[in-house]
Amino acid sequence: MRTILFCVILYIPAVIFAQMTEREQQVLDEINLVRTHPADYIKYIDPFLEYWNSSSAEKATAEELKKELKKLQPLQPLEFSSVLYESAKKHGEYIVKTGEFVHSDCNCGENIQYGNSEVRNAVIDLLIDNGVPGRGHRKNILNPEYKYFAAYEVTKTIGDMDYIFIQQFDW
């Protein structure tokens, strides 16, 4: 019996054992913090705006976000998905190979963020979503139907872009 079990374990695909790095896990933790405590998360927005010396347009968009978070009921935390992780990783490898900063053709929600070395700043930047009329990044993070998540960090600089995080969401 042990021999059979050992053989079965050898043939389990490696994707099952995929794990995010510590920084990628921090992205999931940060997103779960805003999802599970939306009103409490408001306290992090103004320091972000001050740190980046934000424009009046970004400040106005941040005010819109704060109003939304104040009204939002807590959401379920997202769970890590090794399938989404492999998908995000594959797309990150494509970005490195081609130098093209584009969304993938995955059948899931996807955010791509760059330029923030601090995880919290990366998440807040997507939540504010300044300059994105449909607020698609914010909608992905705060979508109550999403259950699964993975983040992949591209560790190479692509052109003038660094600290690139690819986030994927699914139900």
Side-chain angles (χ1 to χ4, degrees):
M1 183 64 158
R2 288 184 184 174
T3 304
I4 293 170
L5 181 58
F6 180 71
C7 290
V8 170
I9 290 173
L10 286 178
Y11 291 106
I12 295 175
V15 71
I16 291 173
F17 300 108
Q19 290 293 322
M20 293 188 292
T21 66
E22 183 178 334
R23 280 179 49 84
E24 293 162 348
Q25 180 64 48
Q26 288 172 2
V27 173
L28 174 56
D29 294 343
E30 191 69 22
I31 287 174
N32 280 337
L33 180 62
V34 70
R35 285 175 63 90
T36 59
H37 298 89
D40 293 341
Y41 199 83
I42 293 169
K43 66 185 173 196
Y44 301 116
I45 297 170
D46 285 337
F48 170 89
L49 297 170
E50 290 172 24
Y51 178 80
W52 288 106
N53 194 23
S54 296
S55 68
S56 59
E58 186 170 36
K59 288 177 183 177
T61 307
E63 287 303 315
E64 167 194 304
L65 168 64
K66 289 193 273 186
K67 288 177 185 175
E68 185 175 342
L69 292 177
K70 192 177 241 182
K71 294 177 187 175
L72 186 67
Q73 293 297 312
L75 304 171
Q76 289 292 89
L78 297 169
E79 298 175 31
F80 169 74
S81 164
S82 60
V83 172
L84 289 177
Y85 185 76
E86 289 302 319
S87 175
K89 180 179 178 182
K90 182 178 175 184
H91 188 58
E93 291 167 351
Y94 172 83
I95 289 173
V96 168
K97 180 180 174 183
T98 64
E100 294 181 36
F101 192 74
V102 295
H103 283 280
S104 72
D105 59 359
C106 73
N107 192 16
C108 61
E110 183 176 74
N111 291 344
I112 304 176
Q113 204 285 330
Y114 71 94
N116 285 289
S117 61
E118 299 295 323
V119 168
R120 174 163 288 150
N121 287 345
V123 172
I124 292 172
D125 186 44
L126 290 168
L127 282 165
I128 293 174
D129 227 3
N130 187 48
V132 180
R135 307 287 185 253
H137 301 113
R138 182 189 306 174
K139 287 179 180 177
N140 282 337
I141 292 171
L142 301 178
N143 186 332
E145 294 181 19
Y146 286 139
K147 290 180 62 174
Y148 301 103
F149 175 86
Y152 177 75
E153 182 177 21
V154 176
T155 56
K156 295 183 179 179
T157 300
I158 310 298
D160 63 349
M161 297 177 289
D162 53 3
Y163 306 108
I164 301 169
F165 286 103
I166 298 166
Q167 305 170 358
Q168 292 188 347
F169 305 77
D170 209 351
W171 33 75

